[in-house]
């Protein structure tokens, strides 16, 4: 199955090249940047901090707020900076995909604010946003039961493929973003746009799990490298 090649030369089960960085913004409590192929996303996290307005705070738990936004320069045709219905929906589903992993009961009456800024969009921006946001939460020192990792799968040209580009997303018969806590093997997001048979669904889901686990390993390596570098700098002083 791995022999069929896509427009960008990838096999159907091959991810795009991925680069991740953390701790890149001084003013945020946590931050991360991801490049997945030509998709580029920056995430800033603030909190846990006092909720404003205060009546939004909950006595037993922290709340999570998320803003997913595509920069006006992130697409070929200038996108209006005003939030679209799609951005409102993606803000909600990204928040839900991440909130499941955060130990919210440790920080009652506070808020954790997540800003997902798409700098360049070429398919899979919600998934790249979730993967980077999970790293930014870890960078902010916010306790989680597991990292959250996301990747889209889909059906393109009759084949189940992983990590769709913008072009593949436009042409595909079905598109299915999945977010997973890779160590606990718990799904925190699954959406399906289009139609799949039950066999295709299972094939796509298994491919998404495999992809999320691979991306999870990259997340862990990114965190490890970052903290080892800090440790070396501290010992050098
Ligand atoms: P995702 O980015 O999570 O895959 P969609 O499936 O809604 O979300 O979008 C697929 C791709 O379509 C995006 O990654 C982007 O490349 C493109 N796209 C989405 N919205 C716009 C827009 N308003 N203008 C131009 N391109 C867009």
């Amino acid at each position: 199955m791995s022999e069929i090649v896509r427009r960008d030369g990838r096999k159907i089960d091959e991810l795009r090249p991925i680069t991740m960085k953390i701790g890149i913004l001084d003013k945020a409590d946590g931050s991360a940047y991801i490049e997945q192929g030509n998709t580029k996303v920056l995430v800033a996290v603030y909190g846990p901090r006092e909720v404003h307005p205060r009546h939004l705070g909950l006595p037993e738990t922290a709340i999570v707020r998320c803003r997913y936004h595509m920069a006006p320069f992130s697409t070929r045709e200038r996108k209006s900076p005003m939030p679209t219905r799609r951005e409102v929906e993606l803000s909600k589903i990204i928040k839900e995909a991440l909130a499941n992993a955060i130990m919210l009961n440790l920080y009652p009456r506070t808020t954790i604010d997540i800003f997902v800024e798409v700098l360049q969009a070429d398919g899979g921006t919600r998934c790249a946003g979730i993967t980077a946001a999970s790293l930014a939460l870890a960078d902010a020192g916010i306790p989680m039961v597991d990292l959250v990792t996301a990747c889209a799968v889909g059906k393109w040209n009759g084949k189940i493929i992983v990590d769709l580009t913008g072009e593949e997303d436009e042409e595909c018969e079905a598109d299915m973003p999945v977010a997973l806590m890779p160590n606990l093997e718990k799904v925190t997001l699954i959406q399906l746009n289009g139609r799949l048979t039950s066999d295709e669904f299972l094939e796509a889901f298994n491919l998404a799990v495999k992809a999320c686990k691979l991306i999870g390993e990259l997340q862990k390596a990114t965190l490890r490298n970052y903290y080892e570098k800090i440790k070396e700098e501290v010992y050098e002083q």
Side-chain angles (χ1 to χ4, degrees), residues 14-237:
E14 190 178 340
L15 291 168
R16 292 176 285 181
I18 301 177
T19 319
M20 301 174 187
K21 286 185 188 156
I22 56 170
I24 48 176
L25 299 174
D26 283 349
K27 304 266 189 304
D29 294 320
S31 58
Y33 173 70
I34 186 166
E35 282 186 17
Q36 190 154 347
N38 290 321
T39 287
K40 301 182 183 188
V41 183
L42 181 65
V43 178
V45 164
Y46 293 84
R49 63 182 178 181
E50 209 174 303
V51 191
H52 292 290
R54 281 184 110 159
H55 68 85
L56 292 179
L58 298 175
E60 308 274 319
T61 171
I63 60 167
V64 180
R65 297 187 291 199
C66 176
R67 188 190 80 152
Y68 164 99
H69 180 247
M70 281 172 91
F73 51 80
S74 64
T75 55
R76 200 169 291 279
E77 303 233 328
R78 182 183 177 276
K79 190 212 139 272
S80 159
M82 294 302 288
T84 59
R85 277 169 53 189
R86 175 179 170 275
E87 286 170 303
V88 173
E89 180 212 328
L90 294 201
S91 300
K92 179 177 184 288
I93 62 107
I94 292 172
K95 176 185 85 175
E96 288 167 3
L98 294 161
N100 277 300
I102 305 172
M103 299 164 87
L104 296 172
N105 56 339
L106 296 181
Y107 303 102
R109 295 187 193 284
T110 68
T111 177
I112 296 166
D113 295 325
I114 303 168
F115 297 89
V116 176
E117 194 68 23
V118 178
L119 305 180
Q120 190 166 285
D122 186 25
T125 59
R126 83 193 66 191
C127 292
I130 290 169
T131 302
S134 170
L135 280 179
L137 287 163
D139 182 40
I142 294 171
M144 290 179 281
V145 293
D146 197 355
L147 289 165
V148 183
T149 301
C151 192
V153 285
K155 184 175 169 188
W156 176 83
N157 228 355
K159 299 282 168 198
I160 301 300
I161 61 168
V162 73
D163 192 13
L164 285 72
T165 61
E167 196 182 19
E168 286 171 337
D169 188 288
E170 245 174 60
E171 297 171 352
C172 72
E173 294 103 81
D175 167 28
M176 187 168 96
V178 176
L180 181 79
M181 292 195 259
N183 296 304
L184 296 177
E185 298 195 333
K186 285 195 173 162
V187 172
T188 65
L189 166 75
I190 186 157
Q191 295 181 287
L192 175 58
N193 186 7
R195 277 167 185 254
L196 295 175
T197 64
S198 45
D199 283 350
E200 285 169 344
F201 172 81
L202 269 183
E203 188 186 338
F205 180 72
N206 289 334
L207 195 55
V209 169
K210 204 172 126 199
C212 286
K213 287 194 172 185
L214 259 173
I215 296 171
E217 290 306 312
L218 289 176
Q219 281 176 316
K220 277 194 260 174
T222 305
L223 286 165
R224 212 176 294 122
N225 291 343
Y226 181 72
Y227 288 111
E228 269 169 14
K229 221 164 161 192
I230 291 181
K231 203 165 85 185
E232 278 166 25
E233 281 166 11
V234 169
Y235 282 129
E236 269 171 24
Q237 282 169 7

